[in-house]
Amino acid sequence: FGRDGDRYRISDPVLAEPVWCAAEDLARARFSLGDMAPKGRMYHPIHVPRDVDPRPAMRAGLKQCCDQMLKIPFPLIGIRGMRRLARVVQGWPAKLGPELAALNVGHLVLLLEEIGTGGAGFRFMFAGFMQQAARDLPIPDLADAGTRMTAVGDLWREFALLASRTCKGRTTVQDPYGRLAAILLECADREQAILRDVTRMLETGRGQ
């Protein structure tokens, strides 16, 4: 987001604060090899219209999120992925032993809450998006869906807190892995209900 000669100013969620990066180092990172190599691609707007109506994009974004969470057939992402993760987490102690199980939980909470695309923060963002969309479309019931999603975000935050304590051996919960799995299943059930409701709102054509 900034430049000074051959140095670039970079912000990233894994860093405590913005840093300077030399152009040579940045080029090496942008053209790194391996799976999903970036190939140097960068994106920027080439045209910004004077007047923008965000409502079609809001409807499309809501529909895409609901479809991806509810309709993906394989159990690696979305609601199915959450339920599969719950089963996997519950089986870690018996399958991996206490040390590796704790290490995996630590990686999981890091991916969800710090450098990945899940966990509480993204539920809060989506909740805010639905509450704004309720005003702009308007589909008033979206505001209630946003409030319900905020509560799910609080539950994800409870999951992250327990996971952090579990990986550090500081939890007093008798069966922390069972409790972690139960929280994930509750999140999945509640999110599924919310997203199904949002899908019905969009399909009824309210707000057009």
Side-chain angles (χ1 to χ4, degrees), residues 89-101:
V89 168
Q90 189 163 16
W92 274 344
K95 181 178 181 180
L96 305 176
E99 291 186 7
L100 188 54

Side-chain angles (χ1 to χ4, degrees), residues 164-190:
S164 298
R165 289 174 175 169
T166 299
C167 74
K168 296 176 182 177
R170 298 177 182 173
T171 180
T172 57
V173 176
Q174 187 170 2
D175 178 15
Y177 293 90
R179 176 56 186 156
L180 288 170
I183 295 174
L184 285 172
L185 290 174
E186 184 177 354
C187 287
D189 289 345
R190 291 168 66 172

Side-chain angles (χ1 to χ4, degrees), residues 132-193:
Q132 180 177 344
R135 299 190 300 268
D136 292 346
L137 288 176
I139 303 178
D141 290 344
L142 276 174
D144 178 65
T147 299
R148 291 159 62 196
M149 187 60 77
T150 298
V152 177
D154 291 335
L155 198 57
W156 275 101
R157 193 158 50 184
E158 179 184 338
F159 174 88
L161 181 59
L162 178 57
S164 298
R165 289 174 175 169
T166 299
C167 74
K168 296 176 182 177
R170 298 177 182 173
T171 180
T172 57
V173 176
Q174 187 170 2
D175 178 15
Y177 293 90
R179 176 56 186 156
L180 288 170
I183 295 174
L184 285 172
L185 290 174
E186 184 177 354
C187 287
D189 289 345
R190 291 168 66 172
E191 288 185 34
Q192 183 178 52

Side-chain angles (χ1 to χ4, degrees), residues 7 17 38 53 57 61 69 87 89 100 108 116 126 143 154-155 161 172 181:
R7 298 190 310 155
E17 57 186 21
D53 181 2
M69 289 293 290
R87 294 192 298 271
V89 168
L100 188 54
L108 178 60
F126 188 53
D154 291 335
L155 198 57
L161 181 59
T172 57

Side-chain angles (χ1 to χ4, degrees), residues 28-64:
R28 189 163 62 250
R30 294 299 307 169
F31 290 90
S32 61
L33 302 177
D35 295 334
M36 302 178 66
K39 300 180 181 178
R41 293 190 182 98
M42 301 180 75
Y43 303 91
H44 61 89
I46 58 174
H47 172 68
V48 180
R50 184 182 300 273
D51 297 313
V52 179
D53 181 2
R55 291 173 296 180
M58 286 182 170
R59 295 183 70 89
L62 287 166
K63 183 179 186 305
Q64 182 181 37

Side-chain angles (χ1 to χ4, degrees), residues 106-118:
H107 285 311
L108 178 60
V109 72
L110 176 67
L111 288 170
L112 287 174
E113 298 296 342
E114 294 293 335
I115 60 176
T117 55

